[in-house]
Amino acid sequence: WGMYFVSHAEHGVEMDRVRWGSGTGSNHGVRMSDYEPENRGHWKQGMYSAVGKGITVLFLIAVVLTCTLIALRVPNRQLATYLQTATTFAFSFIWGKIAYRIVKLENKRTQSEVSRALTMRLSFVKLFIFFFPLVRLAFLAPISDRVCRDDRAAAAAVLFAAEHTDSNLRHLNISSDDKVFTDWVDTLEIVPQRNPVEYCLLYVIGSLRSQAHPADTGENCYKGCYPSICELQDGQLMCVTSCYNALDRSARAVYFSHLVCTLMSLLIPFYKVRWRVKEEKLKARPGEEYTLLQYQEK
């Protein structure tokens, strides 16, 4: 929308110039004051463009590694959700500053070109920043989360998870060795303990082993998330997993945080303008009229 409105406004400016005989109606656009025509097509401009793309890729890698580290290093799921949300907004703010500097270095000729380049860089990267934690929880966590033990009974005891206090299995009078629960465990996919993706992560960000990820011993692992809220239906256990709860918490945290930030970004400028107008009126001489043009200047 920003790209469209800036382009439309610049077209209107050029049509006004044509009307007064100072424009041609083609190649319209408000020229940037810091535009350097002698550097247009120069090798420096190509270098700055390549550096900008490289910085973008490195920034996205930093986002992925940070989100992964928080998910794997913070055992408290609720705290991890809040840290993930805070990290998302921090990366979004930082990228807003970096993207503007990258576009300025690319020597754009018109304001329309600047707005188009800035919009593309901001929108794609910020969409990735906000959606990656949710995509990780929805699609990657059920694949990457696993419980590895010597036998099924030991794995079932870990999945029963005394550490997960939100589980209601005990209220259903079901234990970790109950057949109803072990039958549910058997529905999980059994996978090798390590896979190439895990080896890459271990190499890049170090050992990520926890109580549920012991040292390599060759045993198989149950892939999936911890049971959280379970119901008995026709003698079978139906469970909502911890991944679903984490996704729900994360989506709610991002939504309400974004709502608050958006409202603050609207209210703060509004009250700043009102405060500046009030200050100017107090400084004005008695009987002096405060004009709409003065108000618009704010």
Side-chain angles (χ1 to χ4, degrees), residues 7 79 179:
S7 178
L79 177 60
K179 185 180 184 302

Side-chain angles (χ1 to χ4, degrees), residues 169-182:
L169 288 166
R170 289 184 180 81
H171 298 293
L172 296 175
N173 295 320
I174 295 175
S175 61
S176 61
D177 57 353
D178 195 298
K179 185 180 184 302
V180 175
F181 183 70
T182 54

Side-chain angles (χ1 to χ4, degrees), residues 78-234:
Q78 194 164 3
L79 177 60
T81 298
Y82 297 144
L83 286 176
Q84 200 85 262
T85 304
T87 303
T88 297
F89 281 94
F91 272 118
S92 177
F93 176 80
I94 293 170
W95 181 248
K97 302 297 182 183
I98 295 175
Y100 181 77
R101 293 184 178 274
I102 292 174
V103 172
K104 294 292 285 184
L105 288 173
E106 291 177 343
N107 192 33
K108 302 298 183 182
R109 189 180 68 85
T110 65
Q111 181 61 49
S112 181
E113 291 181 7
V114 171
S115 300
R116 188 177 296 109
L118 189 59
T119 301
M120 296 299 288
R121 288 192 182 277
L122 286 175
S123 59
F124 285 113
V125 174
K126 288 200 173 192
L127 282 173
F128 181 88
I129 291 172
F130 276 93
F131 279 107
F132 175 75
L134 303 180
V135 171
R136 189 197 68 80
L137 286 170
F139 301 105
L140 300 182
I143 298 174
S144 60
D145 288 10
R146 60 195 62 197
V147 172
C148 304
R149 287 296 183 268
D150 294 329
D151 52 36
R152 186 184 71 166
V158 175
L159 284 168
F160 193 78
E163 58 189 322
H164 293 268
T165 55
D166 55 349
S167 177
N168 68 335
L169 288 166
R170 289 184 180 81
H171 298 293
L172 296 175
N173 295 320
I174 295 175
S175 61
S176 61
D177 57 353
D178 195 298
K179 185 180 184 302
V180 175
F181 183 70
T182 54
D183 286 345
W184 181 85
V185 173
D186 289 339
T187 62
L188 301 178
E189 183 181 354
I190 299 178
V191 293
Q193 170 136 5
R194 300 294 182 203
N195 58 38
V197 175
E198 282 186 291
Y199 278 121
C200 292
L201 282 174
L202 287 170
Y203 179 77
V204 172
I205 56 181
S207 176
L208 304 176
R209 296 168 186 151
S210 64
Q211 183 179 359
H213 294 76
D216 289 315
T217 56
E219 74 269 27
N220 288 330
C221 306
Y222 286 89
K223 182 180 75 174
C225 308
Y226 291 91
S228 177
I229 301 174
C230 301
E231 293 181 358
L232 278 172
Q233 296 183 4
D234 299 328

